[in-house]
């Protein structure tokens, strides 16, 4: 476990797996909004058996402080770029979920020398234009935490029954409730207010994502794509590298990597194994 002072905040991360001079890629796991690196508990063991795995808590999330600076995707990406330089890592395969997938894409566009490939898991981009201002307005309330709990609760796979599925849903809700309200507000405004739309909303985001030159694997829940009004072909058309691919999973919610860890891990590790030489 390590804490680093980065851009005025104390950031937590773990660094596991083979040493940097061993064979294998270095993976950077980036969680979503109001989440933390615990989200990757079902991945870290499988991934670190073959690869170096760095799993941070973004500023203002989990064990990382958020006392200075903003809560926008570029702020998070700048922190991660400094972290990677500080731990002598890069280029890395960035595996990002939701907001983390957007942060991974910002890293790939604006810090390309640090990024070997991107795995975008149910990413927080590709929304219809009218959706963003409605959601941004929903967070201009005295209780942004309650709004976040409701919004994220709507992304759960409620069709999945049993104690494990229910425990995941409870874990997600309790974590949101523990967040600082102003951090929650700023994180979601950073995704959906007017300044954020070039990174999240169609058609403008298409131009931005097309600037990723590295391989991109997109893994999405079918229901998430349906809600956005797109399909798996949308992102595949924006990723020009020949090793890029798009996979759509049916019957899963937003945290698909937690619902089906064995399937997810096999898909990601198999795709990474096939990456062309750097």
């Amino acid at each position: 476990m390590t804490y680093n002072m980065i851009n005025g905040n104390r950031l937590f991360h773990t660094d596991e797996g083979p040493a940097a001079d061993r064979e294998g890629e270095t993976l950077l796991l980036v969680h979503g909004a109001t989440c933390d690196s615990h989200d990757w508990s079902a991945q870290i063991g499988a991934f670190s058996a073959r690869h170096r795995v760095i799993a941070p808590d973004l500023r203002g999330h989990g064990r990382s402080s958020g006392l200075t600076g903003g809560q926008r995707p570029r702020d998070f990406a700048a922190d991660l770029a400094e972290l990677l330089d500080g731990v002598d890592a890069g280029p890395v395969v960035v595996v990002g979920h939701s907001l983390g997938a957007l942060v991974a894409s910002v890293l790939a566009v604006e810090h390309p020398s640090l990024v070997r490939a991107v795995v975008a898991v149910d990413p927080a981009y590709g929304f219809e234009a009218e959706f963003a201002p409605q959601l941004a307005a929903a967070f201009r309330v005295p209780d942004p935490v309650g709004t976040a709990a409701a919004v994220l609760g709507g992304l759960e796979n409620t069709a999945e029954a049993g104690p494990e599925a229910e425990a995941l849903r409870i874990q997600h809700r309790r974590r949101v409730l523990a967040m600082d309200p102003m951090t929650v507000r700023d994180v979601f405004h950073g995704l959906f207010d007017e300044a954020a739309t070039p990174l999240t909303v169609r058609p403008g985001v298409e131009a931005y994502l097309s600037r990723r030159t590295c391989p991109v694997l997109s893994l999405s829940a079918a229901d998430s794509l349906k809600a956005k009004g797109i399909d798996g072909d949308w992102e595949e058309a924006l990723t020009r590298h020949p090793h890029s691919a798009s996979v759509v999973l049916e019957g899963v919610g937003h945290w698909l990597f937690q619902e089906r860890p064995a399937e997810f891990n096999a898909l990601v590790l198999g795709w990474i194994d096939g990456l062309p030489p750097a």
Side-chain angles (χ1 to χ4, degrees), residues 247-260:
V247 178
V248 179
L249 299 181
E250 300 281 351
V252 294
H254 187 50
W255 283 268
L256 55 93
F257 58 103
Q258 296 180 347
E259 292 181 48
R260 297 186 190 171

Side-chain angles (χ1 to χ4, degrees), residues 88-240:
D88 193 25
V92 298
V93 178
V94 192
V95 183
H97 171 238
S98 194
L99 164 66
L102 176 54
V103 174
S105 295
V106 173
L107 271 173
V109 170
E110 302 184 14
H111 304 271
S113 64
L114 293 175
V115 180
R116 168 103 160 95
V118 168
V119 179
V121 185
D122 222 39
Y125 52 67
F127 300 98
E128 294 178 331
E130 59 270 22
F131 175 80
Q134 294 173 4
L135 199 59
F139 281 90
R140 298 189 189 101
V141 294
D143 182 24
V145 170
T147 300
V151 169
L152 295 175
L155 302 178
E156 297 278 9
N157 180 11
T158 55
E160 190 72 21
E164 291 184 4
E166 180 62 17
L168 277 178
R169 291 190 284 266
I170 292 172
Q171 172 191 322
H172 298 156
R173 177 175 173 79
R174 286 177 56 81
R175 186 167 49 193
V176 176
L177 297 177
M179 290 282 293
D180 172 70
M182 294 302 97
T183 298
V184 172
R185 180 202 63 190
D186 291 348
V187 167
F188 280 93
H189 282 173
L191 284 169
F192 296 110
D193 68 10
E194 186 175 355
T197 56
L199 294 181
T200 57
V201 171
R202 307 193 315 271
V205 68
E206 295 168 354
Y208 188 82
L209 295 178
S210 295
R211 292 168 58 191
R212 300 175 299 187
T213 59
C214 64
V216 178
L217 172 63
S218 175
L219 292 162
S220 299
D223 285 348
S224 296
L225 295 180
K226 183 178 180 181
K228 294 175 184 175
I230 56 178
D231 58 26
D233 293 338
W234 176 79
E235 183 155 3
E236 194 161 357
L238 303 176
T239 54
R240 300 173 182 174

Side-chain angles (χ1 to χ4, degrees), residues 41-63:
S41 296
Q43 281 69 52
I44 290 174
F47 290 177
S48 64
R50 297 156 59 180
H51 305 284
R52 183 185 181 190
V53 176
I54 301 168
D57 288 352
L58 298 175
R59 65 165 69 175
H61 292 72
R63 290 147 295 274

